[in-house]
Amino acid sequence: MTVLIPQSLHDALAAATANPDAQIIQGGTDLMVEVNFNHRKPTDVIALRRVDEIRNYVVTADKKNVVIGSGLPYREMEHGELAQLLPALAQAARTVGSPQIRAAGSIGGNLGTCSPAGDALPVLSALDAVINLQTATTSREISVHDFMVGVKRNARQPGELIVSATLPIINGWQGYAKVGVRNAMVISIASCCLVIDREKGSIGVALGSVGPTIIRCRETEQWLAMQIDLKNISIVAPNLLKEFGDRVAKESKPIDDHRSTAAYRRHAVATLSRRLLTRANTQ
Amino acid sequence: MSNATKTSIHRDVLGASALRPDGAAKVSGKFEFSSDLHAEHMLWGATLRSPHPFARIISIDLSAAYKIDGVEAIITAQDVPGKKTYGLISSDQPVFASEIVRYVGEPVAAVAADHPETCRRALAAIKVNYEVLTPITDAELAMLPSTTQIHPDGNLFRHQRIITGDQNLQGEIIVEATYEMGMQDQAFLGLEAALAIPDSGGAGVEMFVATQWLHEDQKQIAACLDLPLEKIRITLGGVGGAFGAREDISLQVHCALLALRTSRPIKMQYGREESFYGHVHRHPAKIWIRHHATRTGVIQRIESRMVFDGGAYASTSAAVLINGVTHIQGPYKCLNATVDGYAVRTNNPPCGAMRGFGVVQACYAHESQMDKLAVACGLSPVEIRLINAMVTGDKLITGQVVESVAPVERCIRETDAIEMPAPLARNANALEIVGGSGLTSLPHNIVRGVGWGVSIKNLMYSESFDDFATARCQLQNGVVNLKFATVEVGQGFVVLAPQIARSVLGVDEVIIDPVDTRIGSAGSTSASRQTWMSGGAVDGACRLVRQRLFEHVGTKHNIDPLRLVIEDTDVVDMLGDFRISVIEASTGVFIDETFEHHHRPTEELDENGQGNCHVAFAFVAHRAVVDVDVELGLVKVIQIATAQDVGRVLNPIAALGQIEGGIAQGLGLAVMEEIVLDNGKMRNPSFTDYLLPTALDAPQVIAVMIEEPEPQAPLGAKGIGEPPCISVTPAIAAAIRNATGRDLPRVPIRPQDICL
Ligand SMILES: Cc1cc2nc3c(=O)[nH]c(=O)nc-3n(C[C@H](O)[C@H](O)[C@H](O)COP(=O)(O)OP(=O)(O)OC[C@H]3O[C@@H](n4cnc5c(N)ncnc54)[C@H](O)[C@@H]3O)c2cc1C
């Protein structure tokens, strides 16, 4: 087994391009679990811990977007400027595992694993994030919706590194909520991110753990935008709120498994989405 | 968490909050657990397990595995030289399955190789040809005469009924229900591990094992190896928790066999997933129960049918069942009973001992009933329990008279007197409310509920079993050496034993000699028994030494030894001025005494469930306050108030540790801990999906310790390990019912049980 520890993005890209089958490791909080379970037996590993360029974030010059390095640990998203610009991401980051996991885990890893329970992913989805993928010679931007293709499957090509995710700074409201069976350190059994863009008068609702991958509730979003003026969000009437949740639940595709039941998950996303919409109006 | 009472005792004698000698090492990662054991030239051992809950083994082909470089030995059933089976009560479990596998995870073969990875490859290369059979995973089905017998011993481990008093009495008030409990895991943190070092020529084996009972392991290993007892020498390896899961043999026989086969030291250790397959669990149970009472709430008669799913092998199922049926009345007076209990064999994972041992299941049922009864009689949960509270001298449904101190009423009243937590603040921090960092709930989504649970628990082993304990005390130059085979699993005997020696002998320096089989048995560290039993043995040995010391001092200084006492660290003449330090008094002498402590004999139950089968009892009350997000079905336990009948507090901080830990375990069973089974297969054998409470799930605990010394107990102290986890589960369930208005007849209570 070889382990490469490149010290720059340039070297990392060169290494990944030279050995497309090498296993990429960032925080290792997903990968090492798989290795421990013998689900994966890497022979060559490229460790990105020392690549400072991807352990950072920048606000673009036009102040319209934030570009988050794929290796930035969750801990850095919980507080400070980033949390102010992207409150839903901060909330999602706070729900990830324990302090140890948040000190190591990253968006790159969450995207790399692409589990429907990944907590950063509903936020990326609701905000229509754009993912930047690079090799030594190429660079492409791909919508997060196209990136996530199925249960633990994504559009990354061998040899590509996930370099960053670009998220818009919106004028409006955003929030994330997650149901688990204990009060901390738990895999979500249902989650929801809700974003209201006041300028555009649009809403984004994305669900986690209720389908093979993250689910965007496009029909419900369009329906709600026709019912109320999202540019001036006002109190949502109770019957509308109820229908909103029902429609969200209908767009989910949950299953029964050892963590929960499909019926509960449907109920949970309905409830979470209603609560988030209510919070959008009251906070 | 509440604070332990600070004591002003300046020496670490009985009553002081003496600190564990292994505490700092454990929290700083320096403690040597069994999994850290190492020997020169050792090989690694690993176990091949059945992937099927029920199947016939057609053939086992080892040839490909043997071809792997580094594989030194592979053993199967035919390599077991002695007894082919083992077990705590009835020896029905094969060391390796030979014809039939009866549960997923049953050992089929074991390998020894130069590296764990080589072991893994070798296991993958062993080809076992199975004829898969239809598993029987429902206990009711397994009991039917027409059902396939899973094992030559049959599908019924034990049936026990209790018939007493008027069998036809009908109460003015009748409440009945069926309650269910899922399968809980002990989930100790230190995984199973052992090191076996063979004697030259295969004459015997030296073992280091994380276990609960050295001598029982020794006995079972020796029988399977066909070696004399003394050829199996076992030293306790560092144990990281047990809770009952280390009472049965897991990897011990495999490890010893591989060592003898290869003539090399063998190290075996389980990972977390294998640990779930490798040890027994708490019995899932289904309990139908009907209470008859007067209109004023006085219990007159209990009827119950209890079915415990024991899984594929007997383990301690028969004893667990007896605990269940004999505790179904709870800590309440009751004269008439009709109880039927069954412990049944299925193709589920084997079940056996776990903290609370059968009483947990019974208590969940009887406490749920008490609340139903209270409603039917228009009484509060506290009133109904006070009306029926048992006292010393009451006769149990087994005919046994409760001779133990029985402060049930006091437990309830003192718990009731504990201040309630402040109401949930409208601006409460998100982490303090239901859902925690998931931000699911706001204060207005939350309803608070309060619930009660009270329990009775037997201490020590029952039904004529003489689970004695042995200890040796040596005194020389003011230093005491203690020797015993008492297993430390975290309960604190390592701190208690020196406290006893200091109190009895007035010494400060106490050394605990290695815990091994080079002394008589101490019995198991289970059944809340070691403080009483091994504590009694250490106390007895120290008293014998003290007597000899007084004789020595008396002779030397010409004083009647009967006038001598220990005062602090001195030997003092009660009737004169003579005073000499224990150090000085014991200089140049060597006193060595061994003592066996036996509890009073007990009897087996007769066919009607009558007999003095238990040694003693302890009681506790729990009041739970929970916050429930009723719409999402999420729960946070806010506070547990408890008053526990402890007899006497020997170490306040250690006692509180047991109480807080037990409460966390009972909380787990109430709201999250369950091995999910699907046709005999575990769906969640990992800590990712078998959820244990975290710090954010742990409630505030306010504990009152009721000290009414138990005359039977050598130190006046009752066992305190199990009671904290027993009635807290029904208390939490009751609080959730109180908040939601739901029936909730099953634990753990899942979100969908509350809100769908
Ligand atoms: C105890 C525990 C609790 C957890 N709790 C949560 C939780 O609550 N919520 C949650 O969402 N997750 C949780 N996780 C999972 C994990 O922490 C997250 O998915 C995290 O985002 C993974 O990031 P990482 O940097 O550690 O990824 P790694 O393990 O380093 O990588 C994960 C995958 O992504 C690939 N990868 C990583 N970076 C790149 C890159 N730059 N380019 C290409 N591929 C890449 C890797 O090759 C690998 O396949 C938990 C894990 C543990 C162990």
Side-chain angles (χ1 to χ4, degrees), chain A residues 23-31 33 40 48 70 74 95-97 101 104-106 108-110 112-113 117-119 156 160-162 178 185-186:
Chain A
Q23 184 67 55
I24 311 296
I25 182 168
Q26 180 55 256
T29 59
D30 273 326
L31 186 71
V33 175
R40 230 183 254 239
L48 301 182
S70 57
Y74 291 114
T95 73
V96 174
I101 298 299
S106 65
N110 222 222
T113 301
D119 280 310
R156 186 182 80 94
E160 276 186 323
L161 288 187
I162 304 164
K178 151 180 171 182
M185 260 281 279
V186 68

Side-chain angles (χ1 to χ4, degrees), chain A residues 4-16 26 46-55 134-136 161 163:
Chain A
L4 283 180
I5 310 177
Q7 309 285 318
S8 70
L9 182 57
H10 176 269
D11 290 355
L13 290 169
Q26 180 55 256
I46 301 172
L48 301 182
R49 245 323 158 74
R50 302 271 166 78
V51 180
D52 287 343
E53 294 105 305
I54 60 169
R55 291 175 66 84
Q134 293 184 26
T135 66
L161 288 187
V163 173

Side-chain angles (χ1 to χ4, degrees), chain A residues 11-271:
Chain A
D11 290 355
L13 290 169
T17 305
N19 187 354
D21 295 331
Q23 184 67 55
I24 311 296
I25 182 168
Q26 180 55 256
T29 59
D30 273 326
L31 186 71
M32 292 313 294
V33 175
E34 292 193 32
V35 170
N36 279 341
F37 275 108
N38 268 310
H39 293 165
R40 230 183 254 239
K41 299 209 127 299
T43 45
D44 299 312
V45 174
I46 301 172
L48 301 182
R49 245 323 158 74
R50 302 271 166 78
V51 180
D52 287 343
E53 294 105 305
I54 60 169
R55 291 175 66 84
N56 235 318
Y57 74 91
V58 287
V59 179
T60 53
D62 59 8
K63 299 255 178 338
K64 287 200 170 137
N65 292 291
V66 188
V67 183
I68 299 180
S70 57
L72 186 71
Y74 291 114
R75 186 183 58 198
E76 308 293 325
M77 303 169 204
E78 287 180 52
H79 311 285
E81 183 191 30
L82 204 46
Q84 268 161 21
L85 296 173
L86 297 165
L89 185 65
Q91 290 165 7
R94 177 61 186 84
T95 73
V96 174
S98 58
Q100 294 92 324
I101 298 299
R102 296 197 291 277
S106 65
I107 289 187
N110 222 222
L111 283 166
T113 301
C114 213
S115 154
D119 280 310
L121 305 182
V123 180
L124 298 185
S125 171
L127 282 167
D128 298 316
V130 171
I131 312 302
N132 177 242
L133 296 159
Q134 293 184 26
T135 66
T137 54
T138 63
S139 173
R140 61 177 176 133
E141 310 277 319
I142 173 172
S143 153
V144 71
H145 310 301
D146 299 327
F147 181 82
M148 304 186 291
V149 294
V151 187
K152 299 205 170 179
R153 285 190 304 124
N154 62 41
R156 186 182 80 94
Q157 295 296 320
E160 276 186 323
L161 288 187
I162 304 164
V163 173
S164 64
T166 301
L167 289 85
I169 299 170
I170 56 146
N171 177 3
W173 190 90
Q174 54 183 264
Y176 180 74
K178 151 180 171 182
V179 172
V181 181
R182 66 181 169 197
N183 291 293
M185 260 281 279
V186 68
I187 295 184
S188 98
I189 55 177
S191 69
C192 180
C193 180
L194 185 144
V195 175
I196 292 178
D197 186 328
R198 264 193 212 138
E199 269 157 32
K200 290 194 190 143
S202 67
I203 181 169
V205 180
L207 311 176
S209 298
V210 288
T213 182
I214 305 304
I215 289 178
R216 253 308 272 275
C217 303
R218 306 261 181 211
E219 286 172 24
T220 309
E221 292 169 8
Q222 281 159 19
W223 168 82
L224 188 72
M226 290 192 307
Q227 308 300 314
I228 56 175
D229 177 9
L230 289 163
K231 288 189 175 160
N232 305 294
I233 30 171
S234 50
I235 298 297
V236 184
N239 60 332
L240 222 53
L241 196 62
K242 165 132 197 350
E243 184 167 352
F244 173 69
D246 292 347
R247 283 172 175 265
V248 165
K250 220 177 246 161
E251 288 198 60
S252 71
K253 298 184 188 69
I255 53 162
D256 283 331
D257 65 12
H258 56 281
R259 290 184 189 143
S260 190
T261 63
Y264 177 76
R265 287 182 159 117
R266 233 175 262 121
H267 170 78
V269 289
T271 307

Side-chain angles (χ1 to χ4, degrees), chain B residues 88-89 212-213 216 219 244 246-248 316 319 322-323 353 357 400 457-468 521-530 532-533 599-603 612-616 712 722:
Chain B
L88 278 167
I89 296 179
Q212 280 179 248
W213 188 356
E216 179 63 30
K219 194 175 88 191
R246 294 186 209 269
E247 272 203 325
D248 292 79
T316 48
I322 267 3
N323 262 17
F357 204 79
Q400 178 165 9
K457 172 71 185 53
N458 62 321
L459 308 174
M460 277 73 73
Y461 282 28
S462 303
E463 285 198 290
S464 78
F465 197 88
D466 181 20
D467 49 316
F468 66 95
S521 176
S524 172
T525 297
S526 62
S528 303
R529 60 180 289 287
Q530 287 299 21
W532 183 313
M533 297 304 298
H599 58 68
R600 66 165 181 195
T602 57
E603 304 167 353
N612 297 316
C613 69
H614 296 307
V615 180
Q712 255 201 92
E722 292 170 288

